[in-house]
Amino acid sequence: MRARSARKGWCVSEPFNIPIRVYIEDTDAGGIVYYVNYLKYMERARTELVRALGYDKPAMPQQGLLLVVHSAEIQYRRSALLDDELRASAAVGKVGRAAVTFEQKIWRGNEIICEGVVKVACVDDASRKPCALPENIHQALKAASQNS
């Protein structure tokens, strides 16, 4: 089953989810999650999604390639608090030759408290210039964007 993304024209599969517990180190003095930590939670979900597709992060540097965040568009809806049980989701959106876009959400129960669109680009480790994703990874991401 495919769902239409909030972003016009993007199709994403059902999202991949991981559990997150909010620890004291994630919060400010008031016990509220510091805004940048939502990006860390999203990074974990993307990493685990790619791992579930069969690709560990070390595989890219061994090939002389890196995956880097190109851009992120984040909307914060509600604050997460110390000891909250959250869920971070990632779904593959648009897949290009050198970049992939992920649609991501942070949930507390059935409520979305943060959501975003993160574009990740493939770059050459030495030159830091964009380059094509390895064909096997490209095909796995394309398949993930079309499967239920």
Side-chain angles (χ1 to χ4, degrees):
M1 175 170 140
R2 291 194 318 183
R4 183 67 59 188
S5 167
R7 304 278 297 201
K8 187 178 176 187
W10 292 358
C11 287
V12 294
S13 65
E14 290 296 315
F16 177 86
N17 293 279
I18 61 167
I20 304 282
R21 171 74 73 173
V22 176
Y23 296 111
I24 190 90
E25 66 195 28
D26 299 324
T27 66
D28 61 16
I32 297 170
V33 171
Y34 186 62
Y35 77 96
V36 77
N37 287 323
Y38 295 95
L39 293 169
K40 292 179 181 181
Y41 301 156
M42 289 178 180
E43 171 77 22
R44 292 178 199 169
R46 285 193 312 277
T47 298
E48 293 304 323
L49 169 59
V50 172
R51 187 183 318 278
L53 294 175
Y55 301 97
D56 292 336
K57 280 243 176 173
M60 295 293 286
Q62 290 170 356
Q63 296 179 42
L65 304 172
L66 300 172
L67 293 176
V68 298
V69 172
H70 172 275
S71 58
E73 181 182 320
I74 309 295
Q75 292 83 42
Y76 301 97
R77 294 182 173 189
R78 298 259 190 254
S79 298
L81 306 171
L82 178 63
D83 208 37
D84 275 353
E85 291 182 29
L86 307 177
R87 180 169 37 101
S89 69
V92 179
K94 184 178 178 186
V95 180
R97 286 303 308 145
V100 59
T101 304
F102 294 90
E103 184 171 288
Q104 300 201 249
K105 294 178 177 146
I106 307 296
W107 301 78
R108 180 177 44 226
N110 292 324
E111 179 185 26
I112 299 168
I113 63 171
C114 180
E115 63 184 319
V117 177
V118 180
K119 183 176 182 180
V120 177
C122 184
V123 298
D124 179 82
D125 187 20
S127 69
R128 300 293 201 255
K129 293 190 188 252
C131 62
L133 287 159
E135 188 59 29
N136 57 339
I137 295 173
H138 182 259
Q139 289 305 316
L141 290 167
K142 280 188 71 119
S145 72
Q146 298 168 4
N147 291 337
S148 58

